[in-house]
Amino acid sequence: MDEERSQGSEQRQEDLEQRQDDLEQRQGDLEKRLKAYEGRPSAVAGTGKDPVNLPMIRHWCEAMGDTNPAYTGPDAIAPPTMLQAWTMGGLSGHTARTEAYDELLALLDEAGCTAVVATDCEQEYARPLRPGDEITFDTVIESVSERKRTKLGTGYFVTTRTNIRAGGELAGTHRFRILKYAPAHRPEKKPPRPRPVVNRDNAGFWDGVRQHRLLIQRCADCATLRFPWLPGCGTCGSPDWDTVEATGEGTVYSYVVMHHPPFPAFDPPYAVALIELTEGVRMISNIVGVPHDRVRIGRPVRLEFQRYDDEVVLPVFRAAEEPEGRAYATR
């Protein structure tokens, strides 16, 4: 009997090792197929749908609260971080797109990596863009990582590199990276709210939040208020600053209602708004106190601090009662 048990245990171990070998073999074959896409173009001879233009620059600066004088007037340049904006295809897409990138994503889908999340981007600037510049670009699949294990799940980081030109001259390079992954099994228990990223540039803001104070940076030289927190003034370039405490009063400047993707820590649908504070700066936060379908542009809101667990306190805005007969814009 003991001998039979020993033989059965050895057989199970051999089967397990064989399955592991087969898995590693399939994994190796998949990674070879994925690596074959490195260097292949995903867009060839693409053209910007519009030349660099002042209206789009103005809209961008208004949305970002950037008042740098370099972006206005007869000698205006485009903000460098708008680099990707001039190549975006909108809902109709670009005819310059090749099949390689779609084939790569389909291969990852077949391997069970059906979820995707954008992770980061990098930009390099070769020369400023000016109104009237005609934009062309080429995109290549720069790299596909080895299989990586993350909190979201196990998958592959795919990086594309876009070279952007104006009048045939290189203006900048934009790298965009996604994670294509197989979602990890999630426990039934609702996960905690994501933690804010705190660094040396914004630590003072989060210190204020913990004290239930909404602090706004103020340039020590030109007194310009700015939000979000930055290491230097966008108006005069000064690195020196102090803070003022917001009154907490504001209005909904714009908003979206989030339905998808359904992150486990959140309960869609919910409203995310761009709030214009009475001090003149804008910040993004959640709207509470009314259903998502009653949030309206121009609606007054008041700051609150909401505790989500023992560690996370976040600023949110409670919508004021809607006066009778008052109609707000819907978008």
Side-chain angles (χ1 to χ4, degrees):
M1 181 66 71
D2 290 343
E3 184 176 350
E4 291 177 357
R5 290 178 178 174
S6 176
Q7 290 176 347
S9 177
E10 290 176 359
Q11 184 61 50
R12 286 192 297 273
Q13 181 63 31
E14 290 178 1
D15 291 344
L16 180 62
E17 291 176 355
Q18 183 61 52
R19 286 196 296 271
Q20 183 64 31
D21 290 343
D22 292 344
L23 177 62
E24 291 177 358
Q25 179 64 46
R26 290 196 300 271
Q27 188 66 41
D29 292 343
L30 173 62
E31 293 193 358
K32 287 180 182 178
R33 295 175 67 189
L34 294 175
K35 286 291 184 181
Y37 282 90
E38 292 186 342
R40 292 183 60 179
S42 63
V44 178
T47 58
K49 291 200 168 183
D50 298 285
V52 178
N53 61 85
L54 282 173
M56 192 177 293
I57 292 172
R58 184 178 70 253
H59 294 322
W60 173 283
C61 291
E62 288 178 355
M64 301 299 292
D66 194 334
T67 59
N68 192 316
Y71 309 142
T72 61
D75 298 320
I77 63 172
T81 50
M82 285 188 73
L83 189 64
Q84 186 190 19
W86 310 114
T87 67
M88 298 178 76
L91 296 178
S92 59
H94 274 295
T95 58
R97 187 182 177 101
T98 71
E99 296 179 352
Y101 193 70
D102 291 335
E103 290 175 0
L104 173 60
L105 297 187
L107 181 58
L108 289 167
D109 284 339
E110 292 174 6
C113 299
T114 55
V116 64
V117 63
T119 60
D120 63 288
C121 68
E122 303 169 12
Q123 292 185 339
E124 301 173 12
Y125 311 117
R127 79 157 179 86
L129 294 174
R130 294 179 170 83
D133 281 339
E134 298 280 353
I135 299 301
T136 59
F137 61 92
D138 297 280
T139 304
V140 66
I141 301 169
E142 187 172 66
S143 65
V144 183
S145 75
E146 297 177 350
R147 194 172 181 88
K148 301 290 185 180
R149 187 179 300 277
T150 73
K151 288 186 177 180
L152 290 175
T154 302
Y156 299 85
F157 289 94
V158 178
T159 304
T160 55
R161 183 187 72 247
T162 301
N163 288 331
I164 299 163
R165 297 177 175 83
E169 180 184 2
L170 182 67
T173 299
H174 176 83
R175 285 181 174 85
F176 189 70
R177 188 171 295 109
I178 64 169
L179 171 64
K180 198 83 166 66
Y181 64 98
H185 172 70
R186 298 296 183 185
E188 292 299 324
K189 183 180 178 181
K190 186 176 180 178
R193 187 87 169 195
R195 272 47 186 158
V197 177
V198 181
N199 55 40
R200 63 182 181 180
D201 292 328
N202 66 15
F205 170 76
W206 292 109
D207 288 341
V209 168
R210 282 191 289 271
Q211 302 168 23
H212 288 200
R213 303 171 64 210
L214 184 62
L215 299 179
I216 304 171
Q217 277 185 312
R218 177 175 59 188
C219 177
D221 288 344
C222 71
T224 298
L225 300 181
R226 63 180 185 263
F227 194 91
W229 282 39
L230 296 170
C233 178
T235 300
C236 71
S238 172
D240 300 321
W241 54 271
D242 58 11
T243 62
V244 296
E245 183 173 356
T247 63
E249 303 289 344
T251 57
V252 176
Y253 185 82
S254 183
Y255 73 96
V256 296
V257 175
M258 296 296 296
H259 295 270
H260 188 82
F263 292 114
F266 298 85
D267 296 313
Y270 55 92
V272 179
L274 181 63
I275 305 299
E276 185 164 70
L277 300 174
T278 56
E279 288 78 11
V281 299
R282 299 172 191 152
M283 67 177 292
I284 295 174
S285 185
N286 288 113
I287 299 294
V288 300
V290 297
H292 67 274
D293 56 359
R294 290 183 56 197
V295 177
R296 295 291 184 266
I297 291 173
R299 187 161 191 168
V301 292
R302 175 70 185 176
L303 173 69
E304 290 185 2
F305 291 91
Q306 186 164 317
R307 178 172 292 278
Y308 291 90
D309 54 43
D310 292 339
E311 297 178 2
V312 174
V313 176
L314 297 176
V316 299
F317 287 85
R318 181 170 295 277
E321 291 295 327
E322 190 169 0
E324 291 186 11
R326 173 66 186 271
Y328 297 108
T330 56
R331 291 285 159 177

